[in-house]
Amino acid sequence: MRHLQIALWGVLPYLVLVLFVAGSAWRYHYDRFGLTTRSSQLHESRLLRVAGPLFHYGLLFVIAGHVIGLLVPERLTENMHITESFYRANALIVGGLAGIAAVAGLTVLLWRRLRVRAVRLASVRSDRLTYPVLAVALLAGLAATLLGSTTGTYDYRLGVSVWFRSLFELEPDVPAMAGAPLLFQVHTLFGMALFALWPFSRLVHAFAVPLGYLARPYVVYRSRSTFAGRGGTR
């Protein structure tokens, strides 16, 4: 059991990191124009218009919560006079709502992909593996958030977070993660599986987000009636 724990929590994270970085570099080099969502909006847009933003915005808040929860030590929040009860309440309300939104959005997207024939036919082989892994990771994370915040029997900031930060020090704290409840371990394992699949699935489109559009100048359009009122074009 000791060797299995070392393999899961001491070796596997670095293998996933190497696969994520190397796979992303390979995908960018050999399939640069394939870094897209493979959008199926032309096949069906009504459900996508609701489920897409619900899933993506919920996921953004989930990721932000993970960054804060995993990287910010408990002693720092204590120095900021943030009580444990307030921290748990915030995790339950904000994290819970974000998780529910992401799960609800993903559920509708999966239902849409299964029920709409054109969307189903547009699916690729990697979707069959990516979607189940993503679903289990989200459900396990949501359950861990709800149960951990309400029962208070386990403080992940003294276990999972310590293990996560120790990875950056190249000295993995294996016992910190091995002592976590099974639900947290399942969430972590499927999270790592998701990052291992990332470069080889449609999830890679996250690297092609057009952030430049946020800072570009406005494009001014003029209707034909404007030119017609001025005597036409010259």
Side-chain angles (χ1 to χ4, degrees), residues 9-87:
W9 315 122
V11 178
L12 185 59
Y14 296 106
L15 294 179
V16 171
L17 178 62
V18 171
L19 185 60
F20 177 78
V21 174
S24 299
W26 175 87
R27 183 74 181 270
Y28 180 79
H29 182 74
Y30 290 101
D31 189 25
R32 185 177 306 180
F33 296 103
L35 305 183
T36 68
T37 60
R38 300 181 183 271
S39 177
S40 57
Q41 184 177 3
L42 293 177
H43 302 304
E44 196 283 330
S45 61
R46 183 174 60 86
L47 291 174
L48 183 63
R49 192 180 302 115
V50 176
L54 191 64
F55 169 72
H56 285 92
Y57 284 116
L59 191 61
L60 285 176
F61 278 97
V62 167
I63 294 174
H66 277 69
V67 171
I68 296 174
L70 293 176
L71 296 181
V72 178
E74 188 174 25
R75 64 177 180 274
L76 181 59
T77 57
E78 291 177 350
N79 293 336
M80 297 173 63
H81 304 290
I82 299 177
T83 64
E84 184 67 19
S85 59
F86 177 82
Y87 185 91

Side-chain angles (χ1 to χ4, degrees), residues 83-136:
T83 64
E84 184 67 19
S85 59
F86 177 82
Y87 185 91
R88 289 185 179 276
N90 183 70
L92 177 62
I93 297 174
V94 179
L97 290 177
I100 291 173
V103 169
L106 180 62
T107 301
V108 177
L109 289 175
L110 290 176
W111 186 87
R112 170 181 174 269
R113 187 163 294 276
L114 292 174
R115 294 301 300 270
V116 180
R117 185 173 183 273
V119 178
R120 186 172 66 252
L121 293 176
S123 301
V124 294
R125 186 177 301 176
S126 62
D127 294 339
R128 301 174 184 175
L129 184 59
T130 303
Y131 282 121
V133 171
L134 178 58
V136 174

Side-chain angles (χ1 to χ4, degrees), residues 175-199:
M177 190 64 206
L182 179 61
L183 197 57
F184 286 86
Q185 294 181 350
V186 170
H187 176 58
T188 304
L189 285 174
F190 275 85
M192 288 193 289
L194 197 61
F195 277 99
L197 292 171
W198 196 292

Side-chain angles (χ1 to χ4, degrees), residues 207-222:
F207 296 142
V209 175
L211 296 178
Y213 280 84
L214 298 176
R216 74 171 187 172
Y218 289 106
V219 178
V220 179
Y221 291 93
R222 296 181 179 180

